[in-house]
Amino acid sequence: MERAEHTARLVGMAYRMSGLKGTFGGETSEWHSILDSLGSLHRFAPSDLDINQHNVARFLILDTNNPSSVTCCFEQARQNAKSNRAALSREVWEVINSAWGDIRVISQETVFGAALPTLLDLVIRTVALYRGTIDGSILRDDRYDFLQLGIMIERADNVARLLDVCNQREKKIAQSGDKGTTHHWMTALHATSSVRAYYALYKDDVCADRVSDFFVSNRVNPRSLYFCVKSVAVHLVHLEDRYQFRPACLGNAEALLSFIQQEPGGEGRANGLTDFLARFVGLNAALSDQIAHAFGFRDAKGGVGPASVLEG
Amino acid sequence: MTLGTGIPKEGDLTGVSASSKVHNVSKSSYDGAFNEMRSNGQIRNLYENVHRWINEQGVGTLLSKTEEAEALFRRIGITFAVYGANSDPERLIPFDLVPRIFDASEWERLSQGVAQRALALNAFLKDVYSNGEILKAGIVPESAVSHSAGYLDLMKDFNPPGDVYTHIVGTDLVRTSRDTFLVLEDNCRTPSGVSYMLENREIMVRMFPELVAGDAIQPVNSYPQLLRRALEWVKPAKCGGRPSIVLLSPGPYNSAYYEHSFLADEMGIDVVEGADLFVDGDLVWMRTTEGPRRVDVIYRRIDDDFLDPAQFNPESVLGVRNLMDAYKAGGVTIANAPGTGIADNKAIYPYVPDMIRFYLGEEPLLDNVETWRCSEPSQCQHVIENLSDLVVKRVDGSGGYGMLIGPKATAQEKQDFVERLRRKPEDFIAQPTLALSTCPVLVEEGLAPRHVDFRPFAIVGDGVELVPGGLTRVALKDGSLVVNSSQGGGVKDTWVLAS
């Protein structure tokens, strides 16, 4: 569900950026960037379709042959929920089941033109409902901790990829010599519904350093890498208390938190951030594997980690 | 005239059965069938409120309400899997919103009759796996038992906790007149359908509060608690404290998986698959993230053959290796017990009234459908001579598999069946066609009669309990004989009114 939301937010971001063609140098590049960011370029490329809103949005949202599409995410979430019904409340199940039922019957026309934001809002609202029902109806036992571990690891991965799209754009702009442009950073804030939060925290104009800080090391932004990994560590501590053993992955989570705090800034930040984000994505994925290993998910369920098993 | 083919057993809500070829008959097929809503042209008292409400609402409103109900069923996920090409992988069982109603006295009679039967069937299972007194007394022939595929040698001389073998009994009933209810068959293994009973009521309460409030309907929602209590009561000898219960399911791809997860939710127990459990010594454990957790009672929804690959089907990946060893050592209770198939075998069915007399010293409160046992030469000859009027069933069949419906069969089909009867008569029984009662359903033009049957669920623990209700299935196709969901069958909420 977290991935479905992120995909919808990224599509929204590209929609917004492509509406500013003059600013960003053409429609194609934005849709190309989000395909790249989502790791879906290789799946889209063989289709030989033009990279534009209609084709990319349809591929990312409705295409049942794309395992990362919103439709497939909802389907996978439903399958996982079905297999773990006892870990979920009826409310959570119904949200997931309805999401799957609703998107299956959505017309392909909804990815055209101005109909797209309405579809994206529907996806984002559905995931918000999912999160809300979890908050309001799931027991705060180990199942809740595993659910949150899955959500936070997935979200950290998504945020890192989002930042990477912006950072790549920053580098291109820098090469073109137009140093005053910050629309891409503003778009990232819009995509995550974080504009107000940003201004409340920084009380200053949008700039690369501050937006990077907001998404990387900020302690109170629920979509910062720090916040996500800190949450992972907190839930691992809950499990440590409950199970009376210290899982090795808790040390890995703490190491990842230290790593985040070394995020480069200032001069040369764009290149440094590229490397940082690439390393973060790798370490975060490794952490997911370590958690799965520590709690026996691989043994019990044949090689599936908690991010996919427990995150509806 | 029509006949009941019965509600299929576990997993067969989807099964395409031989009996389920569509047998449309003319509207005159409803002549002579008891009409649950009308008697002598008058609305029966217990349907007055419902009838008035239907007229007030109008057909158009009710049809749109039916669509709303279906949307709710979809959201809740009450679907069943259909295997095969070009079919929706998740289908709804059609829900008809006109309830089927029993008054308190009808229910009292039905529930007492079903409870009586459940007690007798458990007594029979205990007897047949120990001294076999009923066989020695010549009441049930030894051959009927030894021929049964449901008999398990492994259960011989083993007494399950509380002497309960079949903890949940689903008894299929048909009504042929105001006062005549007949038992079509007993389901003593893993009867399904109770989730529809519960969810149908939920939908009715949610969508039609004014209708539901108009009658004093007895609630059914205590079923999961009663079941849980019964399962706790049969905890194994080696369980000292409060037992830990799980529901053992074949998994999310099973057609009845919704019911499995629903019941587990309602009872507050885990749904597990075979791979989640293991046996260590005499005890059964569940793999959890916290490490192994002891399991005391297994409410299983998989067939005997798949329970334990060490004892039964060695290819089974659904079961738990050495489970039977733990069971017989008193380390775990399995509900329903393995080997209960002998009690709902159709070759045994004709003897249930005699079992009631033998074990309970009482007269049966509910009659069987008249049944000819083809294992007896004279009865077999009668069946062959009257094949056109009879329904012939395999003794080990369920869900309508391998049946012949005489009035609908072609000459060639009948000829083929005669040969099968002559070759292995002991494999078959025969019954007359029955005029099943009708209950109105909502169709485009308004209300129309359709045939119904009824499955209440008896829970056996420290006594027998039934919640006042059950699953009414309805053959939605005009004139159809078949209530199977895969062949146009649907379900209705069943009301039992307070006295």
Side-chain angles (χ1 to χ4, degrees):
Chain A
M1 298 295 273
E2 188 74 19
R3 185 171 300 176
E5 181 193 8
H6 175 68
T7 300
R9 288 184 180 281
L10 272 188
V11 171
M13 181 170 139
Y15 176 80
R16 198 180 169 82
M17 289 165 91
S18 64
L20 300 164
K21 289 174 193 169
T23 309
F24 293 115
E27 183 186 3
T28 301
S29 61
E30 306 319 323
W31 295 105
H32 188 281
S33 292
I34 65 160
L35 281 172
D36 198 16
S37 162
L38 290 165
S40 296
L41 198 52
H42 68 288
R43 286 206 188 89
F44 183 84
S47 68
D48 284 334
L49 292 170
D50 290 341
I51 294 185
N52 57 29
Q53 174 186 327
H54 173 246
N55 289 336
V56 176
R58 194 199 55 75
F59 174 74
L60 290 176
I61 298 171
L62 300 177
D63 193 337
T64 52
N65 294 316
N66 170 18
S68 294
S69 70
V70 170
T71 300
C72 288
C73 285
F74 280 178
E75 178 149 12
Q76 186 60 49
R78 180 176 184 268
Q79 196 55 43
N80 290 342
K82 207 171 169 186
S83 303
N84 292 279
R85 275 291 300 273
L88 302 173
S89 65
R90 181 168 175 145
E91 286 172 31
V92 175
W93 158 253
E94 287 188 15
V95 170
I96 295 172
N97 192 42
S98 297
W100 171 76
D102 291 346
I103 202 149
R104 282 203 312 165
V105 297
I106 277 180
S107 154
Q108 303 280 325
E109 306 302 309
T110 53
V111 296
F112 278 111
L116 181 60
T118 307
L119 174 60
L120 301 177
D121 284 349
L122 176 71
V123 173
I124 291 167
R125 267 206 314 276
T126 298
V127 179
L129 193 57
Y130 160 74
R131 213 173 279 127
T133 52
I134 286 177
D135 187 53
S137 67
I138 298 283
L139 289 177
R140 283 349 187 226
D141 60 9
D142 50 345
R143 287 179 286 204
Y144 179 78
D145 289 317
F146 284 116
L147 205 53
Q148 292 300 325
L149 286 173
I151 289 172
M152 288 302 167
I153 283 174
E154 178 69 27
R155 183 182 296 174
D157 182 76
N158 294 336
V159 169
R161 290 172 186 277
L162 173 72
L163 265 185
D164 194 47
V165 172
C166 294
N167 196 46
Q168 297 305 329
R169 170 63 55 191
E170 175 82 358
K171 286 201 277 188
K172 280 186 188 166
I173 292 169
Q175 285 161 7
S176 72
D178 182 9
K179 291 195 174 178
T181 301
T182 57
H183 288 288
H184 48 298
W185 296 111
M186 180 56 102
T187 307
L189 294 174
H190 273 295
T192 53
S193 310
S194 301
V195 177
R196 278 181 69 92
Y198 173 86
Y199 282 115
L201 284 170
Y202 296 95
K203 299 180 175 54
D204 207 340
D205 291 342
V206 169
C207 73
D209 273 349
R210 282 190 284 273
V211 176
S212 295
D213 179 77
F214 181 69
F215 281 119
V216 174
S217 44
N218 190 281
R219 308 283 171 114
V220 293
N221 172 18
R223 294 189 181 277
S224 77
L225 301 183
Y226 181 90
F227 187 95
C228 293
V229 179
K230 182 70 181 175
S231 298
V232 167
V234 166
H235 288 289
L236 287 174
V237 168
H238 291 173
L239 292 169
E240 178 188 21
D241 290 346
R242 181 179 177 87
Y243 296 166
Q244 295 294 299
F245 84 95
R246 182 178 167 82
C249 53
L250 180 51
N252 300 105
E254 287 164 349
L256 190 54
L257 266 184
S258 302
F259 174 75
I260 290 167
Q261 287 162 309
Q262 295 158 20
E263 179 252 340
E267 243 356 84
R269 184 195 43 74
N271 283 331
L273 191 58
T274 302
D275 295 340
F276 167 82
L277 292 172
R279 285 190 64 196
F280 177 84
V281 167
L283 290 169
N284 189 52
L287 178 59
S288 174
D289 285 347
Q290 287 147 2
I291 293 169
H293 179 73
F295 295 101
F297 285 109
R298 289 190 177 280
D299 293 335
K301 296 288 179 186
V304 186
S308 54
V309 169
L310 292 162
E311 204 277 295
Chain B
M1 296 288 280
T2 183
L3 74 163
T5 54
I7 300 171
K9 294 185 175 65
E10 180 80 318
D12 194 52
L13 287 170
T14 64
V16 178
S17 64
S19 69
S20 305
K21 296 168 201 162
V22 182
H23 300 292
N24 287 319
V25 294
S26 68
K27 285 192 196 313
S28 63
S29 74
Y30 299 116
D31 293 347
F34 178 72
N35 186 318
E36 302 269 352
M37 187 184 259
R38 288 175 187 274
S39 182
N40 301 322
Q42 299 293 311
I43 300 299
R44 292 175 68 212
N45 287 346
L46 70 172
Y47 278 91
E48 271 177 6
N49 275 338
V50 168
H51 187 257
R52 186 169 52 243
W53 175 82
I54 289 170
N55 285 335
E56 285 166 4
Q57 298 290 314
V59 175
T61 304
L62 292 176
L63 287 172
S64 72
K65 290 281 185 190
T66 300
E67 286 179 16
E68 269 180 54
E70 287 187 357
L72 278 173
F73 277 113
R74 280 211 185 278
R75 196 179 83 193
I76 298 167
I78 313 174
T79 55
F80 64 97
V82 177
Y83 308 106
N86 304 323
S87 53
D88 184 349
E90 306 223 6
R91 275 183 49 190
L92 288 176
I93 293 184
F95 173 67
D96 180 75
L97 49 79
V98 182
R100 195 256 185 95
I101 310 176
F102 292 111
D103 66 26
S105 64
E106 287 171 339
W107 173 251
E108 189 177 353
R109 190 175 143 213
L110 285 181
S111 58
Q112 287 179 358
V114 168
Q116 181 190 51
R117 225 166 150 101
L119 284 174
L121 288 165
N122 270 292
F124 171 71
L125 284 160
K126 179 176 164 59
D127 186 24
V128 86
Y129 284 120
S130 53
N131 295 331
E133 300 294 346
I134 201 164
L135 308 179
K136 290 176 192 163
I139 293 169
V140 175
E142 190 111 32
S143 60
V145 173
S146 58
H147 275 118
S148 169
Y151 182 83
L152 269 189
D153 264 335
L154 267 175
M155 292 296 289
K156 186 82 184 141
D157 298 323
F158 171 73
N159 292 328
D163 284 338
V164 181
Y165 287 76
T166 176
H167 307 74
I168 303 111
V169 185
T171 305
D172 292 347
L173 297 163
V174 295
R175 185 177 203 173
T176 55
S177 73
R178 175 186 284 270
D179 298 317
T180 313
F181 291 93
L182 299 172
V183 176
L184 200 59
E185 65 179 38
D186 306 284
N187 295 279
C188 297
R189 288 173 270 183
T190 51
S192 65
V194 77
S195 60
Y196 294 97
M197 169 185 84
L198 296 166
E199 291 289 17
N200 291 349
R201 178 64 54 81
E202 283 293 311
I203 296 288
M204 290 297 283
V205 169
R206 178 181 168 136
M207 292 190 62
F208 309 114
E210 74 286 3
L211 172 66
V212 174
D215 280 307
I217 307 165
Q218 297 191 49
V220 290
N221 58 2
S222 60
Y223 181 90
Q225 286 68 47
L226 292 178
L227 178 56
R228 186 185 172 106
R229 212 179 299 154
L231 293 172
E232 286 183 349
W233 189 78
V234 294
K235 70 179 186 177
K238 292 187 177 170
C239 171
R242 194 168 179 191
S244 161
I245 307 169
V246 296
L247 187 152
L248 177 59
S249 165
Y253 295 105
N254 183 267
S255 60
Y257 183 74
Y258 170 76
E259 176 153 313
H260 304 167
S261 61
F262 171 82
L263 283 176
D265 268 359
E266 294 284 313
M267 288 193 283
I269 65 175
D270 284 310
V271 182
V272 299
E273 296 174 37
D276 298 322
L277 301 180
F278 66 94
V279 174
D280 184 19
D282 293 342
L283 303 178
V284 179
W285 302 83
M286 171 166 58
R287 295 182 175 90
T288 77
T289 48
E290 277 181 284
R293 198 175 86 203
R294 172 98 181 264
V295 169
D296 302 298
V297 179
I298 297 175
Y299 173 32
R300 55 83 175 237
R301 297 294 296 254
I302 65 177
D303 293 341
D304 282 2
D305 202 30
F306 299 102
L307 267 180
D308 178 356
Q311 296 289 352
F312 308 117
N313 181 350
E315 304 294 317
S316 171
V317 292
L318 302 178
V320 187
R321 183 165 292 279
N322 300 323
L323 180 60
M324 287 302 289
D325 292 343
Y327 178 52
K328 295 188 76 172
V332 71
T333 298
I334 301 173
N336 291 351
T340 48
I342 181 67
D344 64 17
N345 185 292
K346 290 185 179 63
I348 295 297
Y349 161 87
Y351 302 100
V352 176
D354 289 333
M355 282 178 204
I356 292 168
R357 295 182 189 101
F358 184 75
Y359 296 118
L360 309 181
E362 300 169 2
E363 278 303 304
L365 298 171
L366 291 170
D367 288 329
N368 272 11
V369 176
E370 186 182 11
T371 302
W372 290 274
R373 301 186 295 269
C374 299
S375 56
E376 295 186 20
S378 62
Q379 296 195 21
C380 187
Q381 191 54 37
H382 173 87
V383 170
I384 288 171
E385 287 168 6
N386 295 278
L387 207 54
S388 296
D389 300 324
L390 299 173
V391 183
V392 189
K393 302 177 179 177
R394 284 190 64 86
V395 294
D396 57 353
S398 64
Y401 287 96
M403 285 174 60
L404 179 91
I405 299 170
K408 300 291 162 191
T410 64
Q412 184 60 50
E413 285 169 338
K414 281 185 272 196
Q415 184 53 41
D416 291 347
F417 233 84
V418 167
E419 286 169 24
R420 292 168 68 185
L421 280 167
R422 290 207 164 111
R423 209 161 44 236
K424 289 198 94 175
E426 67 276 14
D427 282 357
F428 298 93
I429 58 152
Q431 293 173 332
T433 52
L434 300 170
L436 299 201
S437 64
T438 68
C439 195
V441 299
L442 188 69
V443 295
E444 293 289 334
E445 300 79 23
L447 293 183
R450 294 291 185 270
H451 296 297
V452 292
D453 69 0
F454 181 53
R455 175 184 287 187
F457 297 87
I459 298 172
V460 187
D462 184 16
V464 184
E465 296 194 79
L466 287 89
V467 295
L471 179 65
T472 291
R473 298 222 309 171
V474 52
L476 288 175
K477 285 184 183 165
D478 189 13
S480 172
L481 310 175
V482 181
V483 294
N484 281 50
S485 51
S486 57
Q487 298 294 321
V491 293
K492 284 172 169 287
D493 189 17
T494 308
W495 295 2
V496 175
L497 303 187
S499 53

